[in-house]
Amino acid sequence: MSDPTLSAIADAQSPEEVERFLEEQERKDLLRFITCGSVDDGKSTLIGRLLFDSKLIFEDQLSALERDSKTSGTVKGGIDLALLVDGLQAEREQGITIDVAYRFFATDKRKFIVADTPGHEQYTRNMATGASTAEAAVILIDARKGVLTQTKRHSFIASLTGIRHVVLAVNKMDLVGYDKATFERIVGDYQAFADQLGFESVTPIPLSALDGSNVLRRGAAETPWYDGPTLIEVLETIETAQDWAARPLRLAVQYVNRPHLDFRGFCGVISAGRVKPGQEIVALPSGRKSRVARIVDYKRDLDEAQAGQSVTLTLEDEIDVSRGDVLAAADAPAQVTDQFAAHIIWMADAEMLPERQYLFKFGPAEAYGAVTELKHKINVNTLEKASGKTATLNEVVFCNVALDRAVAYDRYQDNRETGAFIIIDRYTNQTVGAGMISFGLRRATNLHWQALDVDKRARAAAKGQKPAVLWFTGLSGAGKSTIANLVEKKLTALGRHTYTLDGDNVRHGLNRDLGFTDADRVENIRRVGEVAKLFVDAGLIVLVSFISPFRSERALARSLVEEDEFLEVFIDTPLDVCESRDPKGLYAKAREGAIKNFTGVDSPYEAPEAPELRLDASSLTVEEAAEQVITALRARGMID
Amino acid sequence: MKNAVFTHLRRIEAEAIHIIREVAAAFERPVMMYSIGKDSSCMLHLAEKAFYPAPPPFPMLHIDTTWKFKEMIQFRDRRAAEIGMDLIVHTNEEGLARGVNPFSHGSAVHTDVMKTQALKQALTKYGFDAAIGGARRDEEKSRAKERVFSFRTKDHRWDPKSQRPELWNIYNTRIAKGESIRAFPISNWTELDIWQYIHLEGIEIPDLYFAKERPVVERDGQLIMVDDDRIPMAPGEQPMMKKVRFRTLGCYPLTAAIESGAETLPEIIQETLVSRTSERQGRIIDHDQSGSMEKKKQEGYF
Ligand SMILES: Nc1nc2c(ncn2[C@@H]2O[C@H](COP(=O)(O)OP(=O)(O)O)[C@@H](O)[C@H]2O)c(=O)[nH]1
């Protein structure tokens, strides 16, 4: 056996030759594929053969293999290649592979990651797991048995999980005398079935994992009638790119990198498309637009990045983007919905119940939700539809899902990353299901939300923050609003969700009916306190900027929320400074008597006795004051 | 327009960076395990890339058995300082006090007490809820089935039956208080990938990987480097000077050297490629029986 990869380097005479070899190696691409078949079809033997023939087996493994072959091998007298890939002890004792195992090998053209997935009846979930990251499937058939129920199931799951290329490996041809007619009959049977599944390519190959014919070497002596490719030739040439890069840009933000206030990088994997500085993008679900400023790579910037790369983008505008949002091409954005129809593969012993609340995870985005309607089950053996109310382990169902918030998505057929989700049990934290979105549902269709109890915590969690009230109190002209505005800007830059209540937006609307008598001032603050409480309930950080001269009303506002949710910020600017600033000319008017009940002039200001923060705005810049507020929030764990 | 090939190495690099960022984003107190070897060096480099221009937002943790090569410790301290990450070094003081060492207690006990137990101690002590590790699926058969996000119980045990199905690149990061996750960003890398990546990116690795004249003695047919005077010598025995290097770095009495002339990275890679023994053979821990790694993993060994 001569393997070109290894002999090239073994023969290398000079460091330059080795370097050249390495450069070639570094240019290889990658194919991920799965193998599936029924128990004993020869999957393990086939993978062992691929590893063995591509010289991925080391001598110590070989001697362990020879030793193990004597004690538990099934091949009389010879070495049992299947033992190379049988992993967990318990499984080996049972003599079956029951989980997904990943193997690695390379030829001089490509590197390969193989997901070894089980053929056992009850392990649909493992097959789906292995298939979810695979670009091709090798489906094994025992030449003596032909197309079985399991063959159909595996093909269906491969198709469901978006695999486009199938190799039909008709194995154990040695046991049917390498008979052409047998092979052709099996291929005919399979084709008739596979036609419904819409694969891009189906390549049948007659082979023997045991003697290696048509695996890496051509079975010229064994199958002279076969002039198609060997297994490895197919695997080396399957088109993997599918030109994801040519599709519209999608990047699910998984991490916001903000080492300091001047840098906000949005990190994630580009699942489709390309990105360039200057390109217009839209953040979803918010719909805010901006342009890419930089593609930050390690110690340099990139001019362009494309599907598959993990990147960090900065944007030209300070728009609100956080973990779970999708950055998409502005001219071809992903859809946004809180309801959709999807195929779900159920993976837990506990059955799936409609209306039960689960956590749905779409890449980095999370939402609570429930299956609102189970439309039908799919019999994975016959592809027939059947009705049902619940889903049990290893069942595939088609259903409607409703979430407690909108998420950005694509149809699974258009994007395997933005179209996929997993389902997590809220109590056990187990992954109980996997889903693939078929299409979004219009919002109007029968929303019934009673099943979902969305509380303050859930709303805050959805925003990824702790809600709070920042209560700015102080004399007119003390600098409350200016400081509060800057604090809000900083919080927004940190990805926090905020709202400001001040004289401008409350006095003109909600409190239009109130004047400045003491009674009205009390009512004014009571209402503002209640509104702040509602906003905290909504999960927001509320900045309240009111003179609020009386201790008792501030205490009332404080009592409306949790103890650790209230931060009183006293802007302690002396009256003479405020009066000399007099931005709106109010002090002058009050002194003239044109305004009555003006705080500090003819109405009292009761300074806070123990505010969480006291800022003297006459000795601090606005920037310093705002930064002190941010520091205080951090110190109290109100933001991170 | 046809794209430039998105190479194998760039694909597994992107995957590793995604995994590392996912840990940083989803956990409250993550840590990166750092064992000073070539795989750790790659992981550290990937972490730097993942968060650039910021330093990685988690500390590195080294379990020091007190039997590591001296050069490893120097390398560790220097790298941590250069990258600007917090370095936490933990030693099982109880084991140390009881004098547990590879010579009188054997490799199994030493590894269990000074590595496995020490790691659990450290994870508990600092309350880490996620530990990023450098294990690879190609290292050993039982690891081929390991998840990228591997769930651990409150007492740090790995239960092959309660591992969560892992689909696409969506990782289930949910845990209850006290439970934890071990995350393996270089799961899908082979030994050759590691070397190629080191070559491609110019990653610094300890000198011990390169062949050099070093003082060694022979023990059970394997060459052990005399890194200090704690190694028991037969009366009159003198270390031999041999040109050797290490394929893996660990406790010096448990890490066999190989005779080699490979002084440069391409030479090491050439040697690795044509070598017919897997790297774990240098690790004395795996030798007992084929299923032994799996047992150790259930007990909490990385
Ligand atoms: N004659 C023959 N036997 C084979 C071939 N491939 C596998 N086998 C045998 O079929 C049995 C089951 O193989 P194994 O690889 O363990 O099947 P798996 O359950 O699909 O992984 C073993 O006894 C193998 O030696 C083949 O091509 N020809």
Side-chain angles (χ1 to χ4, degrees):
Chain A
M1 278 177 292
S2 82
D3 177 73
T5 310
L6 292 179
S7 47
I9 187 153
D11 298 344
Q13 297 301 323
S14 63
E16 292 74 40
E17 270 181 63
V18 179
E19 289 277 1
R20 207 171 321 120
F21 166 81
L22 284 173
E23 267 160 37
E24 272 164 34
Q25 292 299 303
E26 283 156 8
R27 258 184 260 128
K28 282 182 187 177
D29 69 346
L30 171 68
L31 179 77
R32 296 187 70 147
F33 69 94
I34 63 168
T35 55
C36 33
S38 306
V39 179
D40 279 346
D41 281 351
K43 282 184 317 294
S44 309
T45 310
L46 184 66
I47 295 170
R49 167 63 59 194
L50 288 167
L51 301 186
F52 189 76
D53 284 3
S54 61
K55 296 242 176 91
L56 257 282
I57 295 168
F58 294 108
E59 265 163 21
D60 55 335
Q61 289 173 326
L62 197 59
S63 58
L65 178 64
E66 278 163 2
R67 196 178 62 226
D68 287 355
S69 295
K70 288 198 189 97
T71 55
S72 48
T74 62
V75 178
K76 275 185 219 79
I79 54 167
D80 187 350
L81 291 173
L83 291 178
L84 268 176
V85 297
D86 271 347
L88 303 186
Q89 244 176 10
E91 299 174 21
R92 193 193 301 183
E93 275 149 26
Q94 289 171 30
I96 44 165
T97 309
I98 58 167
D99 205 13
V100 190
Y102 296 90
R103 313 286 168 193
F104 308 85
F105 71 99
T107 66
D108 58 347
K109 297 223 174 60
R110 251 188 190 162
K111 300 228 179 187
F112 298 92
I113 300 179
V114 192
D116 183 7
T117 62
H120 214 269
E121 187 91 22
Q122 57 267 53
Y123 290 103
T124 295
R125 76 167 185 190
N126 293 330
M127 151 110 204
T129 302
S132 71
T133 50
E135 294 135 333
V138 174
I139 295 178
L140 269 90
I141 288 186
D142 184 329
R144 297 168 303 175
K145 298 183 187 154
V147 176
L148 300 177
T149 301
Q150 284 96 319
T151 316
K152 296 186 177 172
R153 172 172 36 229
H154 296 144
S155 305
F156 170 63
I157 295 166
S159 139
L160 185 68
T161 52
I163 287 176
R164 296 275 136 254
H165 302 278
V166 166
V167 179
L168 190 69
V170 181
N171 189 33
K172 304 197 186 179
M173 284 300 290
D174 54 312
L175 296 181
V176 296
Y178 299 103
D179 179 45
K180 183 181 178 191
T182 305
F183 174 70
E184 284 177 346
R185 198 192 61 242
I186 292 172
V187 173
D189 288 350
Y190 185 76
Q191 211 83 52
F193 165 79
D195 280 349
Q196 321 166 47
L197 296 175
F199 293 119
E200 225 167 279
S201 74
V202 174
T203 314
I205 304 174
L207 54 81
S208 166
L210 197 66
D211 68 21
S213 41
N214 295 328
V215 182
L216 260 77
R217 79 176 165 81
R218 183 158 290 284
E222 296 88 349
T223 52
W225 45 266
Y226 175 73
D227 56 8
T230 60
L231 176 59
I232 203 70
E233 282 166 357
V234 180
L235 294 176
E236 281 180 341
T237 50
I238 283 174
E239 186 56 60
T240 61
Q242 277 198 349
D243 247 2
W244 287 113
R247 296 176 186 226
L249 174 71
R250 300 285 184 268
L251 182 152
V253 175
Q254 60 165 160
Y255 183 84
V256 181
N257 192 6
R258 30 169 204 253
H260 47 78
L261 286 175
D262 299 330
F263 188 90
R264 241 157 80 79
F266 303 106
C267 307
V269 182
I270 303 175
S271 67
R274 302 166 183 283
V275 63
K276 279 188 172 139
Q279 182 175 339
E280 197 185 9
I281 56 96
V282 58
L284 298 169
S286 78
R288 292 204 182 81
K289 290 185 179 171
S290 182
R291 286 179 190 280
V292 175
R294 297 168 56 198
I295 308 170
V296 180
D297 196 34
Y298 185 56
K299 298 188 178 171
R300 59 177 184 152
D301 280 10
L302 300 179
D303 299 331
E304 190 186 17
Q306 67 174 49
Q309 283 177 269
S310 275
V311 294
T312 299
L313 303 183
T314 65
L315 301 180
E316 284 179 3
D317 312 281
E318 285 208 351
I319 62 168
D320 186 6
V321 178
S322 43
R323 173 170 161 87
D325 289 352
V326 170
L327 302 182
D331 54 357
Q335 318 259 6
V336 172
T337 189
D338 58 3
Q339 289 183 70
F340 53 81
H343 283 103
I344 290 175
I345 301 172
W346 198 246
M347 302 187 153
D349 289 324
E351 57 186 0
M352 179 191 87
L353 300 174
E355 304 295 350
R356 168 168 290 181
Q357 200 182 136
Y358 299 100
L359 181 70
F360 289 73
K361 193 159 191 246
F362 305 77
E366 288 181 350
Y368 286 105
V371 167
T372 50
E373 187 185 348
L374 197 158
K375 293 189 163 298
H376 58 255
K377 299 183 175 197
I378 299 173
N379 181 325
V380 292
N381 301 322
T382 60
L383 306 194
E384 276 163 13
K385 292 171 188 170
S387 63
K389 288 225 164 0
T390 67
T392 57
L393 179 64
N394 289 312
E395 277 191 328
V396 177
V397 294
F398 187 65
C399 33
N400 287 351
V401 173
L403 305 175
D404 68 350
R405 50 171 290 227
V407 294
Y409 78 97
D410 288 289
R411 296 182 309 168
Y412 186 75
Q413 66 190 88
D414 296 331
N415 188 316
R416 274 174 100 183
E417 285 177 23
T418 48
F421 58 91
I422 60 170
I423 307 173
I424 298 170
D425 184 283
R426 296 184 68 180
Y427 303 101
T428 64
N429 287 332
Q430 268 293 340
T431 302
V432 291
M436 291 136 290
I437 298 177
S438 293
F439 48 85
L441 298 170
R442 282 192 303 118
R443 290 185 71 99
T445 52
N446 64 353
L447 247 187
H448 42 121
W449 265 125
Q450 309 86 305
L452 307 183
D453 46 275
V454 182
D455 56 13
K456 176 159 94 182
R457 271 186 60 177
R459 293 189 203 97
K463 298 181 182 64
Q465 66 182 24
K466 296 198 176 113
V469 176
L470 309 187
W471 192 283
F472 293 82
T473 174
L475 294 169
S476 174
K480 297 182 299 296
S481 298
T482 319
I483 295 169
N485 280 347
L486 187 58
V487 170
E488 185 171 27
K489 267 195 197 151
K490 285 177 187 272
L491 286 171
T492 305
L494 291 169
R496 305 294 108 174
H497 304 256
T498 58
Y499 194 74
T500 296
L501 295 170
D502 62 18
D504 286 344
N505 60 13
V506 175
R507 280 261 179 209
H508 297 313
L510 178 67
N511 290 359
R512 192 169 48 194
D513 55 334
L514 300 178
F516 292 89
T517 63
D518 283 2
D520 278 0
R521 281 178 187 278
V522 169
E523 176 59 11
N524 183 36
I525 297 307
R526 187 194 70 79
R527 289 186 194 172
V528 169
E530 289 288 355
V531 172
K533 178 192 169 170
L534 291 175
F535 280 14
V536 163
D537 199 49
L540 296 174
I541 298 174
V542 197
L543 298 94
V544 179
S545 169
F546 276 84
I547 299 173
S548 46
F550 304 134
R551 276 184 206 122
S552 61
E553 276 63 54
R554 293 195 303 261
L556 170 73
R558 182 187 286 271
S559 73
L560 292 174
V561 296
E562 306 282 325
E563 231 169 56
D564 58 354
E565 286 171 347
F566 195 88
L567 192 104
E568 189 173 10
V569 185
F570 176 26
I571 309 298
D572 188 8
T573 309
L575 179 63
D576 54 344
V577 177
C578 297
E579 192 160 357
S580 67
R581 288 180 184 159
D582 204 12
K584 298 173 197 159
L586 297 174
Y587 282 96
K589 284 189 189 155
R591 293 287 177 203
E592 287 162 10
I595 303 178
K596 285 256 165 308
N597 300 326
F598 196 77
T599 304
V601 178
D602 58 350
S603 181
Y605 178 79
E606 299 171 7
E609 280 161 345
E612 270 77 12
L613 197 63
R614 193 192 139 269
L615 301 171
D616 178 357
S618 61
S619 66
L620 293 171
T621 65
V622 175
E623 170 65 34
E624 284 165 349
E627 204 41 52
Q628 284 197 20
V629 177
I630 297 288
T631 308
L633 287 173
R634 279 221 176 84
R636 280 155 201 279
M638 292 161 100
I639 59 173
D640 49 34
Chain B
M1 186 176 74
K2 183 81 189 148
N3 309 309
V5 196
F6 189 44
T7 65
H8 167 73
L9 281 176
R10 291 301 171 210
R11 248 180 100 172
I12 58 179
E13 176 191 59
E15 180 187 56
I17 288 174
H18 174 252
I19 293 162
I20 293 171
R21 286 173 174 168
E22 203 57 18
V23 174
F27 292 89
E28 277 173 22
R29 230 177 126 50
V31 68
M32 177 170 269
M33 306 293 305
Y34 181 66
S35 62
I36 317 175
K38 62 182 197 317
D39 302 56
S40 284
S41 296
C42 280
M43 263 207 322
L44 208 54
H45 182 76
L46 289 162
E48 274 195 276
K49 278 197 152 184
F51 301 104
Y52 184 83
F58 38 69
M60 20 201 300
L61 171 66
H62 179 233
I63 300 300
D64 193 348
T65 61
T66 73
W67 290 92
K68 302 293 170 189
F69 291 91
K70 284 196 292 281
E71 273 184 45
M72 289 170 71
I73 302 300
Q74 289 157 8
F75 183 85
R76 174 194 76 192
D77 294 346
R78 180 167 60 77
R79 288 300 289 144
E82 283 167 0
I83 297 171
M85 283 172 82
D86 286 336
L87 170 68
I88 298 172
V89 177
H90 181 82
T91 299
N92 183 350
E93 295 297 339
E94 200 187 309
L96 201 62
R98 279 190 297 158
V100 172
N101 72 73
F103 298 115
S104 33
H105 294 79
S107 75
V109 173
H110 171 75
T111 302
D112 179 54
V113 175
M114 299 307 288
K115 237 170 129 176
T116 310
Q117 302 305 329
L119 174 61
K120 289 192 214 172
Q121 281 174 354
L123 296 177
T124 306
K125 176 175 170 190
Y126 295 99
F128 293 125
D129 53 0
I132 304 170
R136 306 191 318 264
R137 284 170 172 158
D138 85 320
E139 280 177 274
E140 207 270 339
K141 268 196 267 181
S142 78
R143 284 201 168 145
K145 303 187 179 194
E146 180 64 283
R147 301 295 190 270
V148 173
F149 279 67
S150 177
F151 174 79
R152 304 298 157 112
T153 59
K154 286 191 169 65
D155 51 2
H156 306 295
R157 287 180 77 89
W158 177 78
D159 174 2
K161 294 200 178 61
S162 76
Q163 295 304 309
R164 302 162 174 179
E166 216 160 54
L167 293 100
W168 302 286
N169 61 359
I170 312 178
Y171 301 107
N172 179 348
T173 53
R174 310 275 292 193
I175 50 170
K177 210 171 159 48
E179 296 168 346
S180 62
I181 292 284
R182 306 267 171 100
F184 302 114
I186 55 171
S187 277
N188 285 328
W189 295 47
T190 64
E191 187 184 4
L192 181 57
D193 296 333
I194 295 279
W195 284 118
Q196 283 180 356
Y197 192 64
I198 288 171
H199 177 253
L200 190 68
E201 297 278 300
I203 298 169
E204 195 188 349
I205 52 172
D207 224 28
L208 292 159
Y209 283 109
F210 299 93
K212 212 165 115 177
E213 294 282 331
R214 294 187 167 94
V216 291
V217 291
E218 208 182 300
R219 295 284 182 269
D220 298 327
Q222 302 205 312
L223 293 176
I224 301 297
M225 177 169 152
V226 183
D227 197 49
D228 57 36
D229 55 13
R230 288 180 293 177
I231 185 164
M233 305 285 271
E237 188 185 22
Q238 285 296 324
M240 317 168 259
M241 289 307 286
K242 276 196 193 292
K243 193 160 189 182
V244 294
R245 64 178 200 87
F246 298 87
R247 295 190 60 181
T248 145
L249 300 184
C251 296
Y252 82 80
L254 297 176
T255 309
I258 53 165
E259 288 194 74
S260 162
E263 291 177 351
T264 64
L265 202 51
E267 283 168 355
I268 291 177
I269 297 172
Q270 185 183 18
E271 198 175 272
T272 305
L273 265 180
V274 296
S275 154
R276 307 308 294 147
T277 52
S278 65
E279 62 179 320
R280 281 200 158 262
Q281 190 157 47
R283 285 187 203 174
I284 291 165
I285 175 174
D286 291 340
H287 269 213
D288 333 341
Q289 58 184 108
S290 300
S292 65
M293 177 60 83
E294 187 187 331
K295 283 193 196 120
K296 294 201 174 69
K297 203 158 77 173
Q298 286 184 18
E299 286 153 14
Y301 178 78
F302 225 79

